[in-house]
C-alpha cells in the first residue's frame, strides 16, 4: 500500500462534495490506473470515465478510495447490467465478480508500495580538514 503522507505531491487528493471528481482527482486516477480497470480491458486512461465504485446515489463518496477508471463500455456494464459486483479495496485493488460468481482482480500499476523502497542516502558531508592550531 502506498504511503499516505498527506502531502499534495504523494498523497491522494481530498474528497469533494459533489458527484464530479476534481481535476486533481482525475489526474491521480489516470496516473494510478493507467487503463480501464475492468479485468482484461486495456483502454488507455485518456479515454475513460471516473466511476464511483459505490454509486454516488447510494452514498458513495467522490474520493479516490471510491473511484476507478472504467472505459465507457465497462462503465455501462457496471451501471446497467444485473448481477455484476465491483469492490475497490483501500490499496486500489479492484475485485470484479461476474453474475456467475467468478471473481477477477486488477491492481493499479501506478500505485507502488512506497514504504517498501529503501531510504535514500542522506546528503554527503564535505570533508572538513582538521586545522592544527599555530605553534605560538
Ligand atoms: Zn474497459
Amino acid at each position: 500500500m502506498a504511503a499516505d503522507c498527506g502531502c499534495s505531491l504523494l498523497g491522494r487528493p481530498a474528497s469533494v462534495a459533489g458527484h464530479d471528481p476534481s481535476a486533481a482527482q482525475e489526474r491521480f486516477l489516470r496516473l494510478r490506473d493507467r487503463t480501464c480497470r475492468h479485468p482484461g480491458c486495456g483502454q488507455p486512461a485518456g479515454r475513460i470515465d471516473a466511476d464511483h465504485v459505490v454509486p454516488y446515489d447510494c452514498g458513495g463518496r467522490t474520493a479516490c478510495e471510491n473511484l476507478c477508471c472504467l472505459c465507457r463500455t465497462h462503465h455501462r456494464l457496471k451501471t446497467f447490467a444485473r448481477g455484476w459486483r465491483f469492490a475497490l479495496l483501500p490499496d486500489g485493488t479492484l475485485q470484479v465478480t461476474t453474475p456467475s460468481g467468478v471473481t477477477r482482480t486488477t491492481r493499479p500499476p501506478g500505485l507502488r508500495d512506497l514504504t517498501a523502497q529503501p531510504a535514500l542516502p542522506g546528503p554527503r558531508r564535505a570533508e572538513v580538514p582538521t586545522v592544527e592550531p599555530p605553534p605560538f
Side-chain angles (χ1 to χ4, degrees):
M1 180 156 54
D4 207 5
C5 66
C7 74
S8 61
L9 182 62
L10 295 176
R12 294 183 175 117
S15 62
V16 296
H19 175 272
D20 297 334
S22 67
Q25 286 177 318
E26 295 236 357
R27 282 193 304 272
F28 178 87
L29 294 172
R30 289 178 202 284
L31 286 172
R32 182 191 70 187
D33 294 350
R34 313 266 171 96
T35 63
C36 170
R37 294 290 307 282
H38 195 275
C41 185
Q43 283 289 326
R47 291 184 264 162
I48 53 85
D49 297 331
D51 175 62
H52 290 78
V53 177
V54 176
Y56 182 76
D57 295 341
C58 297
R61 296 182 327 126
T62 305
C64 294
E65 297 81 17
N66 188 42
L67 294 167
C68 76
C69 293
L70 289 179
C71 69
R72 186 60 52 94
T73 299
H74 289 121
H75 193 176
R76 288 183 175 160
L77 172 87
K78 176 187 172 288
T79 303
F80 298 114
R82 291 178 173 227
W84 290 81
R85 292 186 312 251
F86 287 67
L88 189 63
L89 305 181
D91 67 351
T93 300
L94 180 68
Q95 293 178 332
V96 178
T97 304
T98 67
S100 62
V102 176
T103 299
R104 295 287 183 251
T105 300
T106 63
R107 292 182 175 78
L111 195 59
R112 294 180 297 153
D113 186 358
L114 299 176
T115 59
Q117 293 181 344
L120 295 174
R124 284 190 184 171
R125 294 183 180 258
E127 292 285 328
V128 178
T130 307
V131 178
E132 297 284 329
F136 50 85

